[in-house]
């Protein structure tokens, strides 16, 4: 199994049919964590529970709600950003995550992210810090 970082192919067509609203007050997006047993890639179409980090120990099944930051342009690239998130009192190991749209039926996937190796937290805080919302770094960007 593997997690391959990518914007999901299904998301690319869904943005052209107005499925997703990234503005503040728009759709609710979530970030779910996965173990190294997950099989996630550009072909992922929706939130799945297979190989998700187990419920408990600072993690809740279906993940954490993201705070949307209204998209903006960086040069000629549209960028989307989220506020950083933290899982407190956490004890788990994760390999990557998926951002998905919880508001829309079937919880469509936006992107999957491989952390580059297992990340373990033991009785602490696990934080995901999103990069700058610019043309070179934003998690979701359309050029």
């Amino acid at each position: 199994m593997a997690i391959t970082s990518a914007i999901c192919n299904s998301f690319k067509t869904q943005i052209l049919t107005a499925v997703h609203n990234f503005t503040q007050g728009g759709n609710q997006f979530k970030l779910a964590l996965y173990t190294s047993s997950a099989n996630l890639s550009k072909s992922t179409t929706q939130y799945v529970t297979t190989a998700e980090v187990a419920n408990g120990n600072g993690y809740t099944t279906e993940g954490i709600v993201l705070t949307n930051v209204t998209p903006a342009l960086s040069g000629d690239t549209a960028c989307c950003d989220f506020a950083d998130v933290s899982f407190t009192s956490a004890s788990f190991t994760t390999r990557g995550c998926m951002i998905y749209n919880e508001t829309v039926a079937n919880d469509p996937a936006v992107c999957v992210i491989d952390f580059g190796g297992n990340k373990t937290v033991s009785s602490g805080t696990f934080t995901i810090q999103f990069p700058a919302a610019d043309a070179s770094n934003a998690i979701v960007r359309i050029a």
Side-chain angles (χ1 to χ4, degrees):
M1 301 296 186
I3 298 174
T4 305
S5 295
I7 294 290
C8 297
N9 285 338
S10 56
F11 171 76
K12 294 173 187 177
T13 58
Q14 291 166 351
I15 59 173
L16 297 176
T17 57
V19 170
H20 303 278
N21 179 355
F22 284 90
T23 60
Q24 290 179 345
N27 294 150
Q28 180 168 283
F29 294 86
K30 280 189 152 182
L31 181 143
L33 296 175
Y34 292 88
T35 68
S36 60
S37 298
N39 187 19
L40 303 171
S41 69
K42 66 182 179 182
S43 299
T44 302
T45 59
Q46 67 188 64
Y47 163 76
V48 295
T49 58
T50 304
E52 185 175 6
V53 168
N55 193 47
N57 297 316
Y59 182 77
T60 303
T61 304
E62 296 183 3
I64 194 167
V65 174
L66 295 172
T67 301
N68 302 9
V69 177
T70 298
L73 282 176
S74 172
D76 293 329
T77 301
C79 300
C80 178
D81 192 17
F82 300 101
D84 299 346
V85 294
S86 294
F87 299 86
T88 58
S89 301
S91 292
F92 55 74
T93 299
T94 181
R95 173 61 195 232
C97 67
M98 175 196 310
I99 296 174
Y100 69 97
N101 188 339
E102 184 185 48
T103 306
V104 177
N106 300 318
D107 300 328
V110 173
C111 65
V112 295
I113 302 164
D114 177 21
F115 295 152
N118 282 334
K119 304 298 180 192
T120 301
V121 60
S122 180
S123 299
T125 300
F126 184 81
T127 300
I128 296 178
Q129 184 177 24
F130 286 95
D134 61 39
S136 300
N137 298 299
I139 291 294
V140 179
R141 57 187 184 262
I142 301 168

